Amino acid sequence: MKKKRNLMQSIAAAPHIAWAVLFILMPLFIVIYYAFTDADGAFSFENVTGLSEYASIFGLSIELSVIATFICLLIGYPLAYIIARSKPKHQKLFLMLLMLPMWTNLLIRTYSIMAIFDDGGFLNSLLGTEWHIIGTKGAVIFGMVYDFLPYMVLPIYTCISKIDPKMWEAAADLGCNTTRTLTRVIFPLSVSGIISGVTMVFVPSISTFYISQKLGGGTFELIGDTIERQFVSNALNTGAAISLVMMVLILISLSIMNRFGEEEGEVIV
């Protein structure tokens, strides 16, 4: 019986293993191969050691991603808290309104922002101004926040909504007002949601290329744009090296955030 159960488990796991090998391990192997070979296929470190000229692009990508993630957290945490504390029927409405823009394709949403913020767009026409927004870092950050804000709100909302209501009552019995309850009880218990939200916003922000292309107006380049340009121009080795470095940066960021997540959960009333 035990052997039969193990066989069934192996059969059930086979599709997942095949998927992981085909779409995770093999692409990763291909990236590593091209990153450490030259155009002739010979082993080389030149692709990695020569990335110093892209340091400013890496720095700008990290800067804009951190700013966008921080803004999403500033907006997303209060919003998630309000949704989680509202009545159940209102929660469904708020969540639907939050997710409604996500039903529209990313390309269409980005073009909509362009139509609003363009020099002759809706905003300037409405206010009678001549603000030049498209082509600035602010426009790219706005696009990141607009597109990725739900990824910050949803995990925090889920975490807060799962907190035992008795925790609120206990905090009130111990003399905590709403502010102290939020800062001393709810916030420590929702750190895991914050870490999940930060991860889900930071990773796509640092690797995005379409938002920066359209809203940046080609005035500057982020790391996602650079990778795309390298592969389009058939510079596979350089593009793979940049991709590998970016993956390492993302893994380091995730490990740091997970380390903070392991230390969460202390409630100080």
Side-chain angles (χ1 to χ4, degrees), residues 140-158:
V140 175
I141 293 173
F142 180 88
M144 292 178 180
V145 173
Y146 172 72
D147 285 319
F148 304 134
L149 179 61
Y151 301 144
M152 179 68 74
V153 176
L154 291 177
I156 298 176
Y157 157 76
T158 302

Side-chain angles (χ1 to χ4, degrees), residues 37 45 63 77 122 153 158 165 175 206 212 220 223 226 248 251 269:
T37 56
F45 282 106
E63 176 189 347
Y77 194 93
F122 175 78
V153 176
T158 302
I206 197 173
S212 55
F220 54 89
I223 196 64
T226 303
V248 171
L251 290 175
V269 179

Side-chain angles (χ1 to χ4, degrees), residues 23 34 42 48 55 92 100-101 142 160 177 198 213-214 231 239 261:
F23 299 104
Y34 278 105
V48 177
K92 294 180 181 178
L100 193 60
F142 180 88
I160 295 177
N177 55 24
V198 168
Q213 282 181 359
K214 298 303 179 182
F231 281 106

